Amino acid sequence: MSEIVIVNTRPEHIDQLVQHQRICFPTLADHELMRREHFESQLRLFPEGQHVALDGDRVVGQSSTFRISGAIALAPHTYHWIVAGNFFTNHDPEGEWLYGADMSVHPDYRGRGISRMLYNARKDLVRRLGLRGMVGGGMIPGYVRYRDRMSPLEYAQAVAAGLLTDPTLTPQLRAGFELRGILPNYIEAGELGNDSTLIVWENRE
């Protein structure tokens, strides 16, 4: 098994990242996906907050973040609004929270701990910058099997209690995130539904 390494995103990774988005998020509306101009803007505004997982020269995972105030991040919001259409122009150099806009792992590489490695890179950044922690909105793809039996909040609470397992929320909880609620109509995710979780990881160091 080859060694996966996490590095800061560089301009030469962008072409792969554009394809990586479409492979990892086939149900997302086109305007929700990150394109070249988005990655270029993210690197220009907050280069230390962008990471890729590499297998050799191949991009197999990705993480995009920016800084923001808690007053904005912890209030109700939608994905497209808070990430400023994926350009990250809402980035606040003085923001006390790291907002996790996007994280993905190539389907061929899932189950190898890459998301944990990317979350650790984010945590290291939070500690280095002295931030309060991380905030994010997380898709709950497993909810599609339960939507006729429970609300998104009931489903997320069941996952948080260990009664159900979700492909996205369960790893986030294992990474130390706490479920803080549901963000209605957070993202246009097709058959997976538009509601997402509000998750928070606090820096206690």
Side-chain angles (χ1 to χ4, degrees):
M1 184 179 293
S2 56
E3 181 181 3
I4 306 297
V5 297
I6 308 298
V7 301
N8 281 114
T9 303
R10 299 188 298 270
E12 58 264 33
H13 298 138
I14 291 178
D15 285 341
Q16 290 192 64
L17 284 170
V18 172
Q19 295 304 314
H20 179 82
Q21 282 272 296
R22 296 192 175 277
I23 292 169
C24 293
F25 301 114
T27 69
L28 283 189
D30 188 66
H31 68 271
E32 305 277 16
L33 294 168
M34 293 180 183
R35 300 185 297 274
R36 165 170 284 279
E37 59 267 32
H38 299 135
F39 289 114
E40 289 174 344
S41 178
Q42 294 163 21
L43 283 178
R44 183 172 62 253
L45 291 169
F46 189 42
E48 60 266 52
Q50 321 311 321
H51 295 89
V52 289
L54 298 178
D55 180 1
D57 293 329
R58 182 185 182 188
V59 172
V60 299
Q62 172 262 340
S63 169
S64 299
T65 69
F66 57 95
R67 292 178 65 168
I68 197 165
S69 73
I72 296 175
L74 298 173
H77 59 269
T78 65
Y79 172 82
H80 203 65
W81 177 81
I82 203 163
V83 302
N86 283 325
F87 287 98
F88 290 10
T89 49
N90 280 341
H91 170 64
D92 177 0
E94 302 300 318
E96 70 270 29
W97 292 88
L98 188 72
Y99 195 89
D102 191 24
M103 181 181 289
S104 57
V105 175
H106 191 285
D108 293 345
Y109 284 78
R110 291 171 186 167
R112 293 175 57 173
I114 295 175
S115 63
R116 185 186 71 251
M117 296 168 68
L118 289 167
Y119 278 124
N120 286 341
R122 288 183 178 181
K123 290 176 182 178
D124 290 343
L125 179 62
V126 166
R127 295 183 183 109
R128 181 162 58 83
L129 296 177
L131 306 183
R132 292 188 59 184
M134 285 185 284
V135 181
M139 293 171 63
I140 39 176
Y143 177 61
V144 67
R145 303 194 309 273
Y146 297 88
R147 64 174 52 168
D148 59 341
R149 283 175 269 174
M150 58 183 71
S151 69
L153 179 59
E154 290 170 333
Y155 171 79
Q157 289 173 333
V159 174
L163 302 175
L164 297 173
T165 300
D166 183 83
T168 299
L169 180 55
T170 297
Q172 290 168 336
L173 295 169
R174 289 173 179 164
F177 282 89
E178 298 175 0
L179 174 68
R180 294 288 180 89
I182 292 293
L183 296 168
N185 294 312
Y186 179 72
I187 195 167
E188 292 184 37
E191 64 182 18
L192 296 183
N194 296 345
D195 297 332
S196 293
T197 58
L198 175 64
I199 55 172
V200 175
W201 177 83
E202 294 190 51
N203 179 16
R204 304 187 188 279
E205 296 186 3

